[in-house]
Amino acid sequence: MRPGFMVPQNTAQKQKMIFSIAKSLLLCVLATVVNSQGCGSSSPLVGKSGPLTMTTDGVSGVVTILSDCSFQVLMYNQDSGAPQFFWWGASSTNVGSGRRIVDQQLSHDGYSSATLTLTLLDNVKWDSIGFLAIWCEQFK
């Protein structure tokens, strides 16, 4: 056995390892597809992941930055109800001072464990976003 590699001992560990490998391969394929469409990966945030945490509207999921112009949200959950949900970026937690970063409107029917792959608007760069949020523009 090579140092640094643990052989899974039970079925649950094997399944977790297979899921982890599959997820890594999927992200590599997605990043390659996006990059082949003319989007680079020069941002130091490319490949970074983090959880969405919110106490309202049931929003949760894990965000991974795929490229300079795209990101993916795994296990995305959102309650239904808001009429105009969009992805917003702001330089701070004051989301009202931010702006829409993705043109696609989120469904008002909600989501349950969905996988979303989204493309930033042309004039949006990751270095201008310190805080990512779901924002209802109608109630802004």
Side-chain angles (χ1 to χ4, degrees):
M1 184 167 77
R2 295 187 327 212
F5 182 76
M6 184 180 84
V7 177
Q9 299 299 314
N10 61 45
T11 302
Q13 288 176 335
K14 288 177 185 175
Q15 288 173 337
K16 186 175 180 180
M17 183 178 178
I18 290 170
F19 175 75
S20 178
I21 291 170
K23 180 179 162 187
S24 296
L25 288 172
L26 176 63
L27 289 175
C28 287
V29 168
L30 285 172
T32 301
V33 168
V34 169
N35 285 335
S36 70
Q37 296 172 351
C39 183
S41 58
S42 61
S43 171
L45 297 174
V46 173
K48 303 286 187 201
S49 295
L52 285 172
T53 55
M54 190 173 199
T55 57
T56 59
D57 300 311
V59 172
S60 64
V62 177
V63 174
T64 300
I65 298 177
L66 299 176
S67 70
D68 289 346
C69 65
S70 67
F71 64 103
Q72 184 174 64
V73 186
L74 297 174
M75 300 175 290
Y76 180 66
N77 296 294
Q78 170 199 314
D79 296 341
S80 60
Q84 289 185 321
F85 265 151
F86 287 93
W87 288 95
W88 270 55
S91 59
S92 69
T93 57
N94 179 9
V95 181
S97 69
R99 64 187 177 130
R100 187 190 303 186
I101 62 167
V102 173
D103 204 27
Q104 177 184 345
Q105 182 175 340
L106 291 162
S107 171
H108 59 77
D109 293 330
Y111 294 86
S112 178
S113 297
T115 297
L116 307 176
T117 303
L118 303 150
T119 302
L120 297 175
L121 291 169
D122 289 340
N123 61 348
V124 176
K125 304 294 179 219
W126 287 117
D127 61 359
S128 68
I129 301 171
F131 192 79
L132 186 65
I134 307 303
W135 188 256
C136 181
E137 290 184 2
Q138 184 173 356
F139 299 122
K140 179 182 173 186

